[in-house]
Amino acid sequence: MAPTKNRYVLDWIDEQVKLTQPDKVVWITGEEDQLDALRKEAFSTGELFELNQDLLPGCSLHRTAINDVARVEDRTFICTPTREEAGPTNNWMEPSEMYAKLNALYDGAMKGRTMYVIPYSMGVIGSPFAKYGIELTDSIYVVLNMAIMTRVSSKVLDALGDSPDYIKGLHAKADIDENNRYIVHFPQDNTICSVNSGYGGNVLLGKKCFALRIASYLGRNEGWFAEHMLILGIENPQGEVRYLAAAFPSACGKTNLAMLIPPEVYREKGYKVWCVGDDIAWLRVGEDGRLWAVNPENGFFGVAPGTNEKSNPNALASTRANTIFTNVVHNLDDNTVWWEGLDDNPPTNALDWKGNKWDPSSGVKGAHPNSRFTAPAEQCPVISSEFNNPQGVPISALVFGGRRAKTAPLVYQSFDWNHGVFVGSIMASETTAAAAGAVGVVRRDPMAMLPFCGYNMGDYFAHWINMGDKIENKPKIFNVNWFRLDDNGKFIWPGFGDNMRVLEWILKRSFDEIDAEETAIGYMPKPEDINIEGLDISLDTMKELLSVDVESWKEDIENIREFYSKFDEFDTLPQELRDQLDALEKRLG
Ligand code: OXD
Ligand code: MN
C-alpha cells in the first residue's frame, strides 16, 4: 500500500505507471533491511558486484554501459514555454513537443521491470532549507546511489503531507540508446525526465538536475541561490570557525579543496579544516543579514582517478565502507578496486572498467577517467559538525576559480559585490597545455554554472546583482587560480593542502584583518602576506604568482566580449556587467 494519501503524488505516479507499464511498483522506505534486500538482488543479477567485505565492508562495484559514462550536455534540455526563458546557453525545446517525444520513449519502457518510488529530501528533512523530491526509476543502482547521495526516507512523505510542493522525477533506463538519451527539465512543472541512461550525473535526479538546474530556477523566484560550490570551514587555534563557499569548473579539484589537510605548520598551531560539502551549496539570507549555506546532498559522488593518500586522504577514507564504485578496475586477486593514480601497485589480475581482462601493460587505462565513488558524507573524517545543522553555516567569503596558465594571479579580491559578480561571470578554465607547451583553449564557465543554470543565464547574472541589495552583511568575493604555469609548463604553486595559505588570506580580508594592494583587477595580497613558512618557494616566486599580466588580460577582454555577446539575442546581460568590463579595460590602460 502507498505510504501516503497525497493526491498530487498518487495521481502523478498512477499516470507514470500507465505510461511506463512496470510489472510492479515498490515504495522505497530508506530502511536498511529493504536496501540490503535490493543489494542482494542486484548481486544476483550482476547489476552490482559485492566486493571484499573484510577490506571494503558494505562496498560494491558497478559498470555502466560503454556508451554511457558521463553527463551529456548536448542532450540536456531546459523546456520552458519560450526559448528566451531557457536562454542562449541552454538547449531548448517547446514543452509539449518534448513531452510528446519523451512519452513515446517512456511508453511501456518498464515492462517486465519494477518501478521504484524514491521519496527523498535535499537538505535535512523538516528544515526551512529542505526541498523534497520523488524519483521513479527502474534501476536498483539508482535507488542505492540515491540512498547515499540524498536523504531517502518515508519521513519525506510525512513532511510533505498533502502539499503539491515536490519535484517530480521520472527515470527509465529503456535501452540505454545514446541516440534517444534525454535529460530534460521543465522548471514550470517542477518536473525532471531522464531516459536511456544509467550514468549517475544523468540519473541521480536529486543532484545536478534538481539541486542545481531546478533549484537555481526556484532560487531566482524565491530570492536565494543554488550554486555549484563546495562549502568548508577553517577553525583557528582559538576554536573559531569561519566558512567559505567556492565554485570551480570540473577538473579543478573541488573535492580535494573541500577536504584539504592543512600544511604541518598550520596543524602544529591547531588549525583544522571542516568539510560541509564538496559540490553544491544552497545559500539564503539569514535574519542577521548574512548569507547562510547548506549542502543539500548527503554523500559524495567523486571522481576516483587521481584520488590517493596524498591528494585527498579524507576522500579515500570516506570510501572504505558503504561505497558504490562505478567504472573502476576490479582487482580479482583480493576482490577490491583500483584506479589510475591510487597507488603504484596496479593489480596484475584484474578487469578494466569495461569488464575486460586488464593488466598494467595493456596500454589502456583500467579505470574510466570519469569513474566514480558514491560515499556517505558522514564517513568523511573531517565532516563538519554543522553538516546536519538545518540552518546551515554563515558564509564569510565566496570564491571563484578556474584553471588559467597565465592570466589569473594566485588570488585577488573584488572591489565590491557587483565587481565580484563580474569576476564570477568571466570565470574560465583552459584545457591543459599540450605536450608541445601550447596554452590551452579558454572555455568560459560563469560561476561554474554553465551546464547547470536552469534558466536564462543573463537573468541569472541579474539575480546575483539584485541579491546584493538583499544581503546586508555581504560576503566578500575572491578569485583564485592554483594552476599558473612557469615557462617550462610546470605548476608554480604547490596546491592541495598548501591552498590553505591562500584561504587564510581570504578569510583575514573578509574580517578586515589585513590590508591589500589595489590593482587594475582588484585587491591583491602583498607577497609577504601569504604565509610561506615551511614551503620551498621564494618571495620572488610569490611576486610572480601575484603579478598581473596586463597583456594577457587585454587579450582576455576580447574573449569576454565575445562570450557576453551571446546574450545580445535576448538582451538579458545586465548593464552593470558591461560597465564592469568597460571599467576593467580602462584600468588596464
Ligand atoms: C560534475 C560533477 O560533473 O560534480 O560537476 O559530477
Ligand atoms: Mn559538480
Side-chain angles (χ1 to χ4, degrees):
M1 223 193 53
T4 177
K5 292 196 170 60
N6 183 320
R7 287 299 351 146
Y8 302 102
V9 172
L10 296 176
D11 291 350
W12 170 68
I13 294 177
D14 273 351
E15 270 173 48
Q16 311 317 307
V17 167
K18 282 201 187 94
L19 176 64
T20 59
Q21 301 163 41
D23 281 7
K24 59 177 182 168
V25 176
V26 171
W27 288 75
I28 299 299
T29 61
E31 278 156 28
E32 196 38 47
D33 51 353
Q34 187 190 39
L35 296 175
D36 207 47
L38 287 172
R39 255 174 235 126
K40 294 209 165 75
E41 189 179 333
F43 296 151
S44 75
T45 60
E47 185 174 355
L48 286 180
F49 299 91
E50 186 171 36
L51 293 167
N52 185 324
Q53 294 302 294
D54 294 325
L55 298 174
L56 295 168
C59 293
S60 56
L61 168 68
H62 172 78
R63 293 192 199 104
T64 63
I66 292 169
N67 72 2
D68 189 28
V69 292
R71 287 186 291 102
V72 280
E73 290 178 16
D74 57 328
R75 308 205 65 92
T76 300
F77 285 76
I78 304 293
C79 293
T80 42
T82 64
R83 201 166 81 78
E84 172 169 357
E85 289 161 274
T89 61
N90 282 312
N91 299 313
W92 176 84
M93 197 183 286
E94 199 277 316
S96 61
E97 194 184 331
M98 181 56 97
Y99 276 124
K101 194 185 257 303
L102 291 170
N103 286 348
L105 295 171
Y106 283 131
D107 191 6
M110 294 193 192
K111 268 188 196 156
R113 299 180 184 177
T114 300
M115 174 190 278
Y116 300 97
V117 180
I118 314 172
Y120 67 96
S121 175
M122 300 312 292
V124 177
I125 300 171
S127 107
F129 268 100
K131 298 247 173 219
Y132 306 129
I134 296 181
E135 175 164 355
L136 310 178
T137 179
D138 54 3
S139 158
I140 294 180
Y141 172 76
V142 168
V143 174
L144 297 174
N145 273 273
M146 285 293 284
I148 298 172
M149 292 305 299
T150 74
R151 290 161 173 96
V152 171
S153 169
S154 305
K155 290 196 190 100
V156 169
L157 297 170
D158 301 337
L160 182 62
D162 54 13
S163 159
D165 192 12
Y166 71 100
I167 305 300
K168 306 173 182 106
L170 175 62
H171 164 246
K173 289 184 286 195
D175 309 314
I176 313 290
D177 170 4
E178 56 197 318
N179 296 316
N180 278 304
R181 186 168 295 155
Y182 287 96
I183 318 299
V184 185
H185 310 73
F186 300 92
Q188 278 89 347
D189 300 346
N190 284 337
T191 296
I192 304 160
C193 294
S194 165
V195 66
N196 275 308
S197 176
Y199 168 75
N202 300 328
V203 298
L204 307 180
L205 302 185
K207 194 174 179 63
K208 304 297 186 184
C209 298
F210 177 168
L212 287 177
R213 298 196 190 96
I214 296 285
S216 61
Y217 173 85
L218 295 175
R220 181 208 178 195
N221 292 344
E222 297 169 4
W224 53 282
F225 291 121
E227 296 299 329
H228 193 195
M229 290 179 174
L230 63 90
I231 309 165
L232 68 78
I234 294 188
E235 181 175 333
N236 68 18
Q238 291 74 47
E240 181 203 3
V241 188
R242 296 171 169 182
Y243 296 91
L244 58 83
F248 296 84
S250 32
C252 289
K254 219 147 103 245
T255 303
N256 294 348
L257 185 66
M259 303 175 193
L260 78 80
I261 299 201
E264 201 177 330
V265 289
Y266 283 83
R267 290 202 307 274
E268 276 167 1
K269 288 184 194 136
Y271 281 93
K272 294 185 180 120
V273 168
W274 301 108
C275 171
V276 182
D278 79 325
D279 195 41
I280 298 176
W282 285 359
L283 305 121
R284 286 172 197 268
V285 187
E287 276 166 19
D288 58 0
R290 286 191 291 176
L291 204 52
W292 289 71
V294 296
N295 168 13
E297 300 192 280
N298 203 29
F300 307 121
F301 184 61
V303 176
T307 306
N308 60 48
E309 251 335 308
K310 263 184 100 176
S311 67
N312 196 340
N314 288 320
L316 202 56
S318 313
T319 66
R320 298 298 90 183
N322 308 312
T323 292
I324 300 173
F325 297 94
T326 303
N327 291 345
V328 297
V329 173
H330 189 184
N331 180 343
L332 297 174
D333 278 340
D334 61 1
N335 193 20
T336 59
V337 290
W338 188 85
W339 49 77
E340 277 72 20
L342 173 63
D343 56 35
D344 294 331
N345 291 314
T348 46
N349 176 25
L351 299 179
D352 68 7
W353 68 273
K354 296 178 179 169
N356 297 329
K357 201 79 183 95
W358 178 89
D359 71 66
S361 65
S362 301
V364 291
K365 288 205 158 81
H368 188 277
N370 190 36
S371 55
R372 298 276 175 152
F373 54 79
T374 316
E378 278 174 306
Q379 289 181 185
C380 179
V382 294
I383 196 71
S384 163
S385 59
E386 305 310 298
F387 173 69
N388 280 316
N389 185 336
Q391 302 299 332
V393 295
I395 296 295
S396 303
L398 293 174
V399 180
F400 296 120
R403 180 185 285 273
R404 301 304 299 267
K406 271 181 96 171
T407 315
L410 183 60
V411 57
Y412 68 96
Q413 181 193 345
S414 69
F415 294 119
D416 55 28
W417 180 264
N418 279 3
H419 181 230
V421 176
F422 168 73
V423 168
S425 81
I426 64 167
M427 253 174 79
S429 236
E430 280 149 18
T431 52
T432 30
V439 173
V441 180
V442 178
R443 174 179 131 124
R444 303 234 87 95
D445 185 357
M447 280 88 166
M449 282 290 279
L450 193 67
F452 305 120
C453 184
Y455 60 102
N456 188 317
M457 204 151 207
D459 295 332
Y460 167 85
F461 295 141
H463 175 52
W464 265 86
I465 297 214
N466 294 337
M467 285 290 287
D469 297 331
K470 301 205 178 90
I471 313 167
E472 204 179 316
N473 300 309
K474 295 183 220 353
K476 305 229 161 77
I477 301 181
F478 299 81
N479 190 271
V480 297
N481 175 26
W482 317 131
F483 301 98
R484 205 140 151 165
L485 300 180
D486 66 16
D487 292 338
N488 300 318
K490 280 225 167 96
F491 292 120
I492 309 179
W493 179 248
F496 298 105
D498 288 308
N499 293 335
M500 168 84 183
R501 301 168 188 273
V502 176
L503 300 185
E504 186 190 25
W505 183 81
I506 285 177
L507 286 171
K508 278 190 183 155
R509 282 296 293 168
S510 300
F511 285 82
D512 297 320
E513 293 168 354
I514 197 163
D515 35 277
E517 271 164 16
E518 192 170 333
T519 74
I521 62 169
Y523 297 118
M524 295 200 15
K526 299 180 186 147
E528 62 276 17
D529 282 346
I530 302 279
N531 180 359
I532 51 171
E533 194 187 337
L535 201 60
D536 186 19
I537 209 167
S538 68
L539 201 57
D540 278 344
T541 307
M542 287 312 295
K543 282 184 188 149
E544 190 186 336
L545 279 166
L546 293 168
S547 61
V548 180
D549 184 334
V550 173
E551 281 322 302
S552 68
W553 273 92
K554 282 184 177 165
E555 275 168 39
D556 219 33
I557 298 258
E558 284 322 302
N559 190 287
I560 298 167
R561 281 202 198 285
E562 199 184 311
F563 177 69
Y564 274 3
S565 71
K566 277 188 192 233
F567 298 92
D568 290 349
E569 187 181 0
F570 301 112
D571 196 19
T572 50
L573 190 84
Q575 186 58 39
E576 286 88 344
L577 296 189
R578 293 187 199 282
D579 294 345
Q580 288 287 345
L581 182 56
D582 292 342
L584 171 63
E585 189 167 29
K586 235 188 184 156
R587 289 193 304 267
L588 288 167

